[in-house]
Amino acid sequence: MQTLRTLDALEREGLLTPDPRLAAAAQSMAIALTPEMLALIDRSDPAHDPIARQFVPSAAETEVSPDELSDPIGDEARSPVKGIVHRYPDRLLLKPLHVCPVYCRFCFRREKVGPGGEALSAAELSAALAYIRDRPEIWEVILTGGDPLMLAPRRLAELLAALDAIGHLGVIRIHSRVPIVDPERVTGELVAALKSQRATLWFGVHCNHARELSLATRAALARLADAGIPLMGQTVLLAGVNDDVDTLDQLMRALVMARVKPYYLHHPDLVRGTGHFRVSVERGQALMKALRGRLSGLAQPTYVLDVPGGHGKVPIGPGYLGDDPDALLVEDAFGGQHRYPR
């Protein structure tokens, strides 16, 4: 079966009912639902299924609030060269292409990604590499997009080799959804392409629900881990997908069992047409506080908010210190309070 890419295809699979607003939702962002993700959806109630909710267009996408932005985390304001986003002195993003195996309806680059989306030409990639090469303070490059694993293994290997040859780079990081949504793409050839000769390569896996960690996905992650590639997990906190403590608990445990260290739990960005996915910061903090009493540090992600305008991520997890004139009041993971000398 092929990836579903149209409203008609989704309707034939029983994943949505006709609604005149869906045409506008589909125009605002490309559709792609892989067979692997389709197989995980509960067809009896797709409107409330956490997998379908991530990929199937909704009429709610046509509702745009004044606070929502076309460039919610300020990529354009921090892009000195095409394909580069440079927010922090020692690290930057390199976006070689804007194609993905699936299109998540909450994506903060939803107005940029899709079939026909811009990919860097040879000259543009050369200019981006020159930008990195000319700045010795850059220690880490994060390959994102789009999904960098949509590059052919040969092209990916060539790009990694070019980055590896830049002596001041210590870390190359790849962010990808491929092992989750299209695990068969993680072939021996692809894993071999990820081998770095000098710089350390880290791999960020985007996963939002434990159900996404199918047998095929866990096998794909094992191929990466067995090759010595350290894996870390990124999750977006999404209403109707994972905004309850039991679901997050199951997800973080499943990631650790798959040798993926939970890294970030992202507060949802102010993306146009995504209000139906958004939760309050207070809700997120309460969930993180609940997880602290249930999971070891190995399974704890950092709850972060990407400050609109290109100002970067900040941790926004719950606080555990209270005021007292003579001592700190420390709250433990189970709600108890304890005095600690200043």
Side-chain angles (χ1 to χ4, degrees):
M1 185 174 184
Q2 295 185 334
T3 295
L4 305 181
R5 298 187 181 276
T6 66
L7 291 174
D8 286 344
L10 295 173
E11 187 177 344
R12 284 195 299 271
E13 293 294 332
L15 299 179
L16 51 78
T17 54
D19 187 312
R21 295 172 294 174
L22 288 174
Q27 287 178 352
S28 70
M29 184 187 188
I31 295 169
L33 176 64
T34 57
E36 290 78 10
M37 291 295 98
L38 175 63
L40 301 179
I41 293 173
D42 179 359
R43 305 295 187 89
S44 67
D45 189 14
H48 297 96
D49 181 85
I51 308 301
R53 187 166 169 80
Q54 295 181 63
F55 307 114
V56 176
S58 164
E61 294 174 38
T62 62
E63 301 171 10
V64 179
S65 79
D67 293 329
E68 294 175 344
L69 306 168
S70 59
D71 183 20
I73 64 170
D75 277 358
E76 294 176 7
R78 305 290 179 175
S79 183
V81 174
K82 188 173 182 179
I84 295 282
V85 178
H86 195 178
R87 289 191 182 88
Y88 304 97
D90 74 327
R91 58 200 181 277
L92 53 73
L93 307 180
L94 175 57
K95 302 183 292 182
L97 77 173
H98 280 102
V99 177
C100 298
V102 293
Y103 293 108
C104 305
R105 308 311 298 180
F106 52 86
C107 178
F108 63 88
R109 294 196 181 109
R110 61 176 289 142
E111 300 190 24
K112 300 291 184 183
V113 297
E118 290 185 350
L120 296 184
S121 67
E124 290 164 344
L125 180 58
S126 179
L129 292 170
Y131 180 91
I132 299 167
R133 197 176 294 115
D134 292 344
R135 287 160 178 80
E137 69 273 18
I138 298 172
W139 179 75
E140 181 177 6
V141 168
I142 299 103
L143 291 180
T144 181
D147 195 311
L149 262 62
M150 295 299 285
L151 292 170
R154 178 185 59 80
R155 288 190 60 201
L156 183 59
E158 290 171 353
L159 175 55
L160 291 173
L163 290 169
D164 196 52
I166 300 174
H168 55 83
L169 288 185
V171 173
I172 302 169
R173 199 192 322 168
I174 291 178
H175 286 184
S176 177
R177 198 85 151 107
V178 161
I180 302 294
V181 302
D182 192 6
E184 297 307 315
R185 188 180 282 269
V186 185
T187 62
E189 183 184 10
L190 178 61
V191 173
L194 298 175
K195 291 289 187 178
S196 176
Q197 297 301 311
R198 185 193 56 81
T200 299
L201 188 137
W202 286 71
F203 196 105
V205 181
H206 180 170
C207 183
N208 294 325
H209 196 278
R211 203 193 300 167
E212 296 173 33
L213 291 159
S214 65
L215 288 174
T217 286
R218 280 180 277 163
L221 293 171
R223 290 193 287 274
L224 294 167
D226 288 345
I229 299 170
L231 307 176
M232 55 189 182
Q234 298 209 86
T235 297
V236 182
L237 182 60
L238 299 166
V241 174
N242 56 22
D243 63 327
D244 67 88
V245 67
D246 288 337
T247 300
L248 287 174
D249 181 312
Q250 293 165 14
L251 171 59
M252 301 309 160
R253 291 179 191 274
L255 286 170
V256 171
M257 289 292 291
R259 290 185 280 175
V260 179
K261 169 67 179 79
Y263 177 46
Y264 278 152
L265 176 65
H266 293 271
H267 189 75
D269 297 312
L270 295 173
V271 183
R272 287 164 54 88
T274 63
H276 55 297
F277 284 117
R278 207 163 298 129
V279 299
S280 69
V281 169
E282 291 79 11
R283 172 70 174 152
Q285 290 174 328
L287 288 168
M288 286 301 301
K289 184 168 275 194
L291 286 179
R292 176 61 60 181
R294 298 171 63 144
L295 297 172
S296 76
L298 182 62
Q300 296 280 344
T302 300
Y303 182 38
V304 294
L305 182 146
D306 222 321
V307 182
H311 303 290
K313 297 179 183 67
V314 293
I316 56 169
Y320 294 90
L321 296 180
D323 291 328
D324 185 282
D326 302 316
L328 295 175
L329 284 178
V330 183
E331 182 178 344
D332 64 32
F334 306 99
Q337 289 195 334
H338 312 273
R339 291 167 61 87
Y340 188 86
R342 288 187 181 274

